[in-house]
Amino acid sequence: MSMSQRTILVVDDETSQRSLMRSILHLEAYAVLEAADYDGALDVQRGHLGEIDVLLIDLSLPGRNGFEVSKALLAVEPNLAVLFVSGYAGAELCKFLDMPLTDVHFLQKPFSPAELLRRVKLLLESAGPLSGRTSAV
């Protein structure tokens, strides 16, 4: 019995991947918003009346990458928890993008439905927003 439905924004340029993640998240009754790229994600965020709890985002997007998208969304919604997904090796990709990530914020593709749900739940229960971990200057 959750007090209110949690909202997750899924950003992936592959329609099949977005659809798969939406279907998995619906199993746990999450409200799911979707976008394919940077502009779409910002439009969805602007148009959504409530709070977005989790950003589930592919790192490899056309135009601006997932990290850039997440920074733009966090500027508006600083409590947003972020889970990056990618088919590339996480540590290497994070170094390349100069991203200060912990494993809690990264999920390697392909993943099982159970693993996706476990990681989203973990983020909602314990992890703070990504912005809290990226302020090392």
Side-chain angles (χ1 to χ4, degrees):
M1 303 191 326
S2 65
M3 290 182 352
S4 66
Q5 189 178 41
R6 300 299 197 115
T7 301
I8 300 173
L9 171 55
V10 175
V11 183
D12 196 310
D13 59 313
E14 293 182 39
T15 307
S16 61
Q17 286 294 312
R18 281 198 319 272
S19 180
L20 174 65
M21 289 187 270
R22 180 185 63 235
S23 298
I24 294 168
L25 294 166
H26 279 164
L27 293 173
E28 291 294 318
Y30 292 116
V32 181
L33 306 170
E34 296 180 51
D37 56 21
Y38 179 88
D39 291 330
L42 267 59
D43 286 345
V44 167
Q45 185 185 44
R46 276 192 293 267
H48 182 66
L49 297 176
E51 190 174 288
I52 298 173
D53 298 292
V54 176
L55 171 63
L56 180 57
I57 186 166
D58 190 10
L59 273 169
S60 308
L61 295 170
R64 302 187 190 186
N65 66 50
F67 188 48
E68 292 172 303
V69 176
S70 71
K71 286 197 291 189
L73 297 178
L74 281 161
V76 176
E77 225 165 328
N79 293 324
L80 184 65
V82 182
L83 180 59
F84 294 101
V85 294
S86 179
Y88 301 103
E92 291 306 309
L93 195 55
C94 295
K95 270 188 269 182
F96 175 74
L97 295 172
D98 195 25
M99 294 170 57
L101 285 190
T102 60
D103 283 346
V104 73
H105 290 288
F106 184 82
L107 179 59
Q108 179 85 36
K109 286 181 183 178
F111 46 79
S112 68
E115 180 63 8
L116 176 62
L117 292 172
R118 188 183 74 76
R119 295 296 294 280
V120 166
K121 188 173 185 216
L122 179 69
L123 267 180
L124 287 169
E125 288 177 353
S126 60
L130 181 67
S131 56
R133 291 185 166 75
T134 59
S135 51
V137 176

